[in-house]
């Protein structure tokens, strides 16, 4: 099953950088060396078992944009599952950016009317002063420019966890039966006396599903208040970011990251392979639970999840 | 007034003087190491206008003097004899005459007052240059400083000068500062002995005693340090430091460590198999280990010591990187063969307990001799 994902936006807005961070495990500091993308770079990224993302990184220079909208129009905008449009928060050509964005929306409406649209206000790290004020202003501007199209807007930067938050949400919309996975994770969490269980995709470390029922797609909304733990709302994306960074270190110096267990003051956690394509992290607060027992539980649950995962993407 | 202040804070601190021209990177170094400033943020630091004294407590209590770039021996306003170490920061791309004159001026003045003072030169912002230029500039700076000193007098041949290539953007700064620190820790040989014993008994090829917050290593075993391994440990520690508060629960976390300690924990068997499905009978080889682990891991100690382990593949032999809290500020990080970590966990934990007691004793002695 292939899903076409369009990555669009002005030249220099950061598309190739985020792709290299999320899918190639390169560190943010190396992105400065990237050259402008010429035309479209296609990548097939095996994401979950048979779920293959067909990622189209579309070079954003005007000449390319003009051709996407004219002669290549059909090729570009056909069979799109998701369009991600990246805006540099510091852009000095906002008018032109919005005009191109508007034209791309038209193309999408014509050839893939059901595609989901995500807008990333990128390079948020460069914003001086209150970031949320800038973000809200940009968000409003973009929503207005989108007229009736339903869009989801995220603020992102390659230098912090915000990129993982956005991409986890994007990918989430591509996994047909993620809610089934969530339900089984909840059962597994109960069996482990765990507070929470999180399932990650293996290479990108994006969050696929969690045992905590609903993940709200909109940043800024509070978690339900009957939650007795009130865990940090940024924990998922920060976990992705932390593990990703450490994986990179390992790959550079000494073999490949495999698993992690922690018995810290505030919690116990085990992070280990669940299936061929996923990692699981179990968070436990009950001090009487041993990490060895958690590891055993993961081993026992592997086959079940291997089956489930196969089901969840065969829609 | 002075005497009064002394009696309030009687700890004898080891003093470090941080010198260098304006914008050389002194404040950045101090803030990145001891104040958790992300390296990228150093860009926004303002110029230091007067001496700022930072204190930091690790195995030994430190006092770091961050000076403005235009300071001279005369305007320092304190005798150089009271400093254990003088660190001079030079921007690797700087025109070398001015900083070197200044450095030489300080060396001459300090050496006159105290022949035992450690002189360290940080050739800084090294990541800005390509490998070849980096080495060439480093060599030139080294050579010019030595030449200038010898021009003044043959007596300066004795001066011990340490040169380091550093950058806040990688671990070279941490490694260099660790080496500088080692010369100031009187109990270093004892810590090293403890680490050597730990390594021998745990089949560990490398172990570090880390200061957790700064990620400097205070001591390591006798095997040579390679930067890659140190970097790995540094990043591991950074990840654990970041994970620490991430899953803190407002209800469950506070009672956690108390519950852990007083009585031996009930058996974990209640949670040892998923209730909803058991695809295959539990593998025997894991179960006994899990319970043996229960017995050895938590003797009725009065304090809970966090620990962690991460296993790496495709190394020969397969390696596990362990973390054990030793004191509230210090942690032991060790590479151990995964076979030892998984198969001889009890032994490993025993070695950690032994190591911890040794380090705690050394820390107590340090405290006593310093007063406070
Ligand atoms: N400060 C900051 N810089 C970023 C961020 N993301 C990317 N960059 C920088 O932006 C520059 C351009 O990034 P690219 O990824 O090549 O941009 P692109 O959108 O692929 O450009 P085209 O291929 O020409 O369309 C690089 O120097 C990146 O290092 C970010 O979040 N913050
Ligand atoms: N590239 C690079 N820049 C650095 C490094 N360390 C510090 N800087 C930059 O150098 C500038 C001056 O640093 P600062 O600490 O204020 O210098 P001080 O006047 O010596 O205290 C800042 O813009 C820092 O971002 C480094 O290792 N590499
Ligand atoms: Mg590009």
């Amino acid at each position: 099953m292939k899903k076409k994902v369009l990555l669009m936006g002005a030249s220099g807005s950061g598309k190739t950088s985020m792709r290299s961070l999320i899918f190639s495990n390169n560190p943010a500091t190396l992105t400065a060396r990237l050259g402008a993308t010429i035309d479209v770079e296609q990548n097939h990224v095996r994401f979950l078992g048979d779920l293959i993302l067909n990622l189209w990184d579309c070079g954003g220079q005007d000449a390319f944009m003009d051709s996407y909208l004219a002669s290549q129009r059909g090729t570009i905008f056909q069979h799109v599952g998701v369009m991600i449009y990246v805006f540099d928060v510091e852009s000095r050509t906002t008018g032109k950016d919005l005009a191109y964005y508007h034209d791309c929306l038209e193309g999408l409406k014509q050839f893939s009317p059901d595609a989901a649209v995500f807008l990333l206000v990128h390079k948020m790290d460069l914003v001086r002063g209150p970031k949320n004020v800038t973000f809200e202003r940009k968000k409003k501007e973009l929503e207005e420019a989108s007229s009736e199209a339903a869009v989801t807007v995220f603020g992102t930067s390659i230098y912090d966890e915000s990129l993982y938050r956005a991409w986890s949400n994007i990918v989430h919309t591509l996994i047909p039966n993620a809610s089934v996975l969530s339900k089984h994770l909840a059962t597994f969490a109960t069996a482990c006396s765990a507070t929470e269980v999180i399932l990650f995709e293996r290479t990108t470390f994006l969050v696929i599903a969690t045992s905590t029922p609903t993940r709200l797609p909109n940043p800024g909304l509070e978690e339900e208040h009957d939650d007795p733990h009130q865990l940090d709302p940024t924990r998922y994306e920060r976990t992705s970011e932390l593990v990703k960074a450490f994986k990179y270190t390992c790959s550079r110096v000494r073999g490949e990251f495999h698993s992690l267990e922690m018995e810290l003051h505030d919690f116990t956690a085990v992070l280990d392979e669940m299936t061929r394509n996923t990692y699981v992290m179990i968070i436990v607060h009950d001090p009487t639970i041993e990490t060895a027992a958690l590891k055993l539980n993961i081993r026992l649950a592997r086959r079940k999840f291997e089956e489930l995962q196969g089901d969840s993407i065969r829609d | 007034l002075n005497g009064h202040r002394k009696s309030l804070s009687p700890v004898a601190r080891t003093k470090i003087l941080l010198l260098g021209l304006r914008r050389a990177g002194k404040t950045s170094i101090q803030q990145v190491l001891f104040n958790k400033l992300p390296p990228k943020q150093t860009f926004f630091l303002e110029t230091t206008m007067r001496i700022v004294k930072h204190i930091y407590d690790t195995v030994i209590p430190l006092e770091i003097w961050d000076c403005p770039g235009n300071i001279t021996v005369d305007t320092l306003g304190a005798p150089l004899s009271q400093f254990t170490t003088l660190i001079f920061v030079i921007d690797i791309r700087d025109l070398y005459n001015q900083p070197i004159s200044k450095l030489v001026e300080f060396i001459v003045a300090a050496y006159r007052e105290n022949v035992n003072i450690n002189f360290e030169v940080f050739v800084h912002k090294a990541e800005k240059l390509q490998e070849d230029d980096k080495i060439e500039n480093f060599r030139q700076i080294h050579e010019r400083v030595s030449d200038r000193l010898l021009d003044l007098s043959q007596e300066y041949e004795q001066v011990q000068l340490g040169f380091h290539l550093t950058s806040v953007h990688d671990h070279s700064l941490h490694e260099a500062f660790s080496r500088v620190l080692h010369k100031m820790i009187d109990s270093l040989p004892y810590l090293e002995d403890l680490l050597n014993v730990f390594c021998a008994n745990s089949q560990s090829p490398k172990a570090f005693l880390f200061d957790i917050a700064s990620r400097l290593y205070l001591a390591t075993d006798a095997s040579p340090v390679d930067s890659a391994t140190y970097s790995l440990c540094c990043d591991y520690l950074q990840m654990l430091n970041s994970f620490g508060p991430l899953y803190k629960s407002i209800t469950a976390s506070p009672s956690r460590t108390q519950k852990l300690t007083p009585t031996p924990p009930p058996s974990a068997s209640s949670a040892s198999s998923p209730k909803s499905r058991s695809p295959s009978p539990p593998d025997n080889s894991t179960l006994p280990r899990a319970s043996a682990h229960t017995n050895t891991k938590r003797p009725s100690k009065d304090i809970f010591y966090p620990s962690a382990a991460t296993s790496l593949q495709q190394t020969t032999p397969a390696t596990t990187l362990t973390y054990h809290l030793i004191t509230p500020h210090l942690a032991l990080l060790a590479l151990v063969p995964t076979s030892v970590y998984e198969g001889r966990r009890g032994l490993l934990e025993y070695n950690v307990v032994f190591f911890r007691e040794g380090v705690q004793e050394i820390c107590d002695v340090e405290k006593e001799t310093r007063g406070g």
Side-chain angles (χ1 to χ4, degrees):
Chain A
M1 188 182 48
K2 283 193 193 169
K3 300 255 185 175
K4 180 165 154 190
V5 177
L6 281 187
L7 195 48
M8 305 196 83
S11 181
S13 58
K15 301 178 292 297
T16 309
S17 303
M18 56 177 80
R19 178 167 64 103
S20 91
L21 236 80
I22 300 266
F23 295 99
S24 312
N25 203 11
N26 287 323
T29 46
L30 287 187
T31 60
R33 299 184 193 166
L34 291 171
T37 307
I38 303 304
D39 209 8
V40 180
E41 267 180 40
Q42 278 194 48
N43 269 68
H44 293 258
V45 187
R46 181 176 291 276
F47 191 73
L48 245 185
D50 297 332
L51 173 62
I52 295 169
L53 297 190
N54 188 7
L55 199 60
W56 289 36
D57 178 355
C58 307
Q61 296 174 45
D62 292 357
F64 300 133
M65 290 301 281
D66 292 339
S67 119
Y68 305 149
L69 290 162
S71 59
Q72 289 181 277
R73 193 174 181 91
T75 330
I76 297 281
F77 293 105
Q78 247 169 39
H79 307 303
V80 177
V82 169
M83 177 171 84
I84 301 165
Y85 210 101
V86 183
F87 296 89
D88 183 340
V89 70
E90 302 266 84
S91 168
R92 294 204 200 98
T93 52
T94 315
K96 189 175 80 181
D97 296 347
L98 288 179
Y100 273 128
Y101 165 59
H102 181 264
D103 293 347
C104 288
L105 270 186
E106 289 295 314
L108 205 60
K109 205 160 79 186
Q110 187 183 352
F111 290 96
S112 304
D114 296 328
V117 177
F118 290 91
L119 309 181
L120 306 186
V121 179
H122 193 55
K123 307 197 187 178
M124 284 298 291
D125 60 289
L126 297 177
V127 175
R128 304 296 309 272
K131 294 195 191 325
N132 56 335
V133 174
T134 307
F135 174 71
E136 288 303 328
R137 199 189 64 233
K138 275 272 162 198
K139 183 179 171 195
K140 202 159 149 263
E141 187 179 303
L142 292 174
E143 279 167 350
E144 277 161 14
S146 312
S147 47
E148 78 276 33
V151 297
T152 311
V153 191
F154 288 100
T156 53
S157 161
I158 54 171
Y159 292 104
D160 62 36
E161 74 278 2
S162 58
L163 192 66
Y164 290 94
R165 180 183 184 95
W167 278 84
S168 283
N169 275 280
I170 291 167
V171 157
H172 199 84
T173 61
L174 295 171
I175 304 169
N177 296 321
S179 61
V180 179
L181 278 175
S182 280
K183 222 180 67 213
H184 285 273
L185 285 178
T187 314
F188 182 61
T190 312
C192 294
S193 304
T195 308
E196 186 167 56
V197 174
I198 307 155
L199 197 65
F200 299 93
E201 196 280 328
R202 188 191 182 106
T203 45
T204 58
F205 250 82
L206 295 174
V207 177
I208 295 171
T210 67
S211 62
T212 317
T214 46
R215 292 202 61 211
L216 301 168
N218 293 329
L221 285 186
E222 286 183 37
E223 307 235 320
E224 302 99 290
H225 254 299
D226 50 359
D227 170 17
H229 296 289
Q230 313 241 335
L231 301 182
D232 186 333
T234 65
R235 62 192 180 280
Y236 302 135
E237 49 269 27
R238 291 195 50 205
T239 300
S240 299
E241 189 201 12
L242 288 172
V243 177
K244 239 359 220 310
F246 188 61
K247 272 180 76 173
Y248 175 71
T249 308
C250 292
S251 70
R252 265 192 1 163
V253 291
R254 231 173 234 278
E256 190 188 323
F257 171 78
H258 180 240
S259 68
L260 172 67
E261 57 190 81
M262 302 178 273
E263 281 182 45
L264 305 181
H265 274 295
D266 288 315
F267 64 94
T268 296
V270 172
L271 175 70
D272 204 347
E273 283 175 302
M274 185 58 130
T275 65
R276 269 167 301 155
N277 306 301
T278 59
Y279 260 78
V280 72
M281 176 137 115
I282 311 178
I283 305 291
V284 173
H285 288 95
D286 182 342
T288 62
I289 307 297
E290 295 286 341
T291 55
L294 297 175
K295 288 203 269 190
L296 180 63
N297 277 359
I298 293 175
R299 286 176 47 179
L300 294 175
R302 266 180 196 150
R303 188 184 299 168
K304 180 74 189 166
F305 273 86
E306 199 79 67
E307 285 167 18
L308 268 177
Q309 186 190 305
D311 294 345
S312 77
I313 57 170
R314 235 169 271 132
D315 59 350
Chain B
L1 192 115
N2 219 349
H4 180 64
R5 200 184 284 155
K6 270 208 180 98
S7 70
L8 273 177
S9 60
V11 185
R13 292 189 171 274
T14 297
K15 289 185 185 157
I16 300 172
L17 190 59
L18 205 49
L19 296 167
L21 297 190
R22 236 187 103 242
R23 309 296 288 166
K26 304 174 289 296
T27 309
S28 304
I29 289 173
Q30 193 283 127
Q31 292 283 318
V32 167
L33 288 176
F34 301 111
N35 212 13
K36 296 186 179 147
L37 186 74
K40 273 200 79 180
Q41 303 277 329
T42 59
F43 184 75
F44 303 114
L45 287 174
E46 311 231 322
T47 302
T48 311
M49 300 305 284
R50 51 182 185 80
I51 299 172
V52 184
K53 300 172 190 174
H54 299 274
I55 60 168
Y56 188 81
D57 287 306
T58 175
V59 159
I60 54 171
L62 299 175
E63 185 172 302
I64 302 142
W65 290 35
D66 182 11
C67 300
N70 59 1
I71 204 130
T72 61
V73 177
D74 299 323
T75 56
L76 182 65
L80 286 166
S81 56
Q82 61 176 293
F83 296 97
T84 309
T85 297
L86 190 155
I87 298 176
F88 198 95
V89 185
I90 299 181
D91 186 328
I92 192 163
R93 301 155 310 165
D94 207 338
L95 300 167
Y96 307 128
N97 259 333
Q98 208 193 345
I100 287 174
S101 304
K102 191 130 195 170
L103 167 60
V104 167
E105 187 185 310
F106 268 96
I107 291 175
V108 168
Y111 192 71
R112 203 178 297 137
E113 289 191 39
N114 172 9
V115 291
N116 291 320
I117 193 165
N118 302 316
F119 297 104
E120 310 285 350
V121 181
F122 282 11
V123 180
H124 194 56
K125 311 194 189 180
E127 99 287 346
K128 287 221 163 176
L129 297 186
Q130 297 292 321
E131 203 58 32
D132 289 350
D133 297 341
K134 192 155 63 178
I135 302 301
E136 179 55 24
N137 284 18
F138 183 72
R139 196 191 56 76
Q140 278 197 28
I141 291 175
H142 195 156
E143 197 177 272
R144 290 187 195 187
V145 174
S146 307
D147 287 354
R148 289 279 288 278
L149 281 171
L150 286 181
D151 283 352
L152 288 173
S153 157
Q154 283 298 321
E155 131 189 60
Y156 294 123
E157 207 163 11
Q158 258 86 259
V159 176
Q160 287 297 313
L161 272 170
F163 281 84
H164 313 263
L165 271 166
T166 58
S167 164
V168 294
H169 295 287
D170 54 42
H171 293 126
S172 56
L173 174 63
H174 287 81
E175 203 176 338
F177 206 99
S178 297
R179 292 180 197 276
V180 169
L181 195 56
H182 297 163
K183 298 182 193 165
M184 300 181 250
I185 302 174
D186 294 332
S187 52
L188 185 70
Y190 307 108
L191 295 172
E192 286 175 343
D193 278 350
L194 286 171
L195 282 154
N196 286 332
V197 169
F198 175 84
C199 285
N201 291 344
S202 312
Q203 295 174 36
S204 162
K206 193 77 211 155
F208 295 97
L209 180 64
F210 264 92
D211 178 69
I212 294 171
S214 67
R215 287 180 287 129
L216 297 172
Y217 72 97
L218 301 171
T220 184
D221 64 289
S223 71
V225 177
D226 82 276
S227 298
T229 305
Y230 172 67
S231 278
L232 177 67
C233 291
C234 238
D235 281 343
Y236 181 44
L237 192 54
Q238 185 166 28
M239 175 175 72
L240 293 173
N241 286 347
S242 309
F243 259 122
L246 203 52
Y247 289 87
K248 188 188 183 85
S249 155
I250 58 160
T251 46
S253 291
S255 58
R256 201 179 127 80
T257 42
Q258 288 147 27
K259 258 195 231 146
L260 266 175
T261 38
T263 46
S267 142
S269 62
S270 60
S272 65
S273 69
K275 289 166 199 126
S276 55
R277 51 188 170 271
S278 6
S280 62
D283 176 350
N284 292 342
S285 63
T286 6
L287 279 181
R289 207 191 304 140
S291 55
H293 166 68
T294 313
N295 294 337
T296 49
K297 183 84 180 294
R298 295 193 184 120
S300 45
K301 276 252 157 206
D302 12 293
I303 310 171
F304 166 67
Y305 290 103
S307 63
T310 185
S311 75
L312 307 179
Q313 277 176 337
Q314 292 175 357
T315 56
T316 33
T319 301
T320 294
L321 188 51
T322 62
Y323 161 97
H324 287 92
L325 196 73
I326 299 300
T327 75
H329 301 295
L330 308 182
L332 171 69
L333 271 79
L335 296 175
V336 293
T338 299
S339 56
V340 172
Y341 180 75
E342 288 183 350
R344 311 187 62 190
R345 188 70 176 273
L347 174 77
L348 192 66
E349 298 296 335
Y350 173 81
N351 293 339
V352 171
V353 171
F354 182 82
F355 177 79
R356 181 179 292 129
E357 281 168 1
V359 172
Q360 287 178 349
E361 223 166 274
I362 291 170
C363 288
D364 290 345
V365 172
E366 278 286 353
K367 233 189 205 142
E368 223 167 85
T369 53
R370 299 253 176 181

